[in-house]
Amino acid sequence: YVNGQPHIGHAYSGLLCDALARWLRIRGEQVLFSTGTDEHGAKVEQAARDAGASSVLEFCDGISGRFKELFQRLNCANDAFIRTTDAKHKE
């Protein structure tokens, strides 16, 4: 959820998934490593209100960007970064 800033737990789980995806790729397995942010729910709405954001989407844009940056800085080899507010996700 994007109701708070990324923290060490997000880094930990991202790195574990990245290591597994890389290992499976080395073994010749087909892997789709997707990660992203779940931007729905009352906690996200409350966090946006508490932060003084003009909309939930504005709040999610900022926090989601931080999550995406975290995985890039950790050099995670994810194939996709999915936001539940993306039009493609809603299809």
Side-chain angles (χ1 to χ4, degrees), residues 2-80:
V2 294
N3 59 324
Q5 300 295 327
H7 54 71
I8 192 71
H10 298 111
Y12 175 74
S13 62
L15 288 170
L16 285 177
C17 292
D18 181 63
L20 179 59
R22 289 174 191 260
W23 171 247
L24 291 172
R25 287 178 180 138
I26 288 169
R27 293 184 50 190
E29 304 282 339
Q30 286 188 343
V31 175
L32 175 62
F33 173 19
S34 61
T35 188
T37 51
D38 183 349
E39 301 175 10
H40 296 108
K43 287 185 177 184
V44 175
E45 186 177 346
Q46 183 63 49
R49 229 180 288 123
D50 292 347
S54 62
S55 70
V56 174
L57 186 57
E58 175 197 350
F59 175 76
C60 290
D61 286 346
I63 300 292
S64 184
R66 291 187 181 113
F67 276 87
K68 192 171 186 177
E69 180 184 339
L70 170 69
F71 294 120
Q72 289 171 345
R73 293 184 78 187
L74 293 173
N75 198 31
C76 289
N78 54 295
D79 300 295

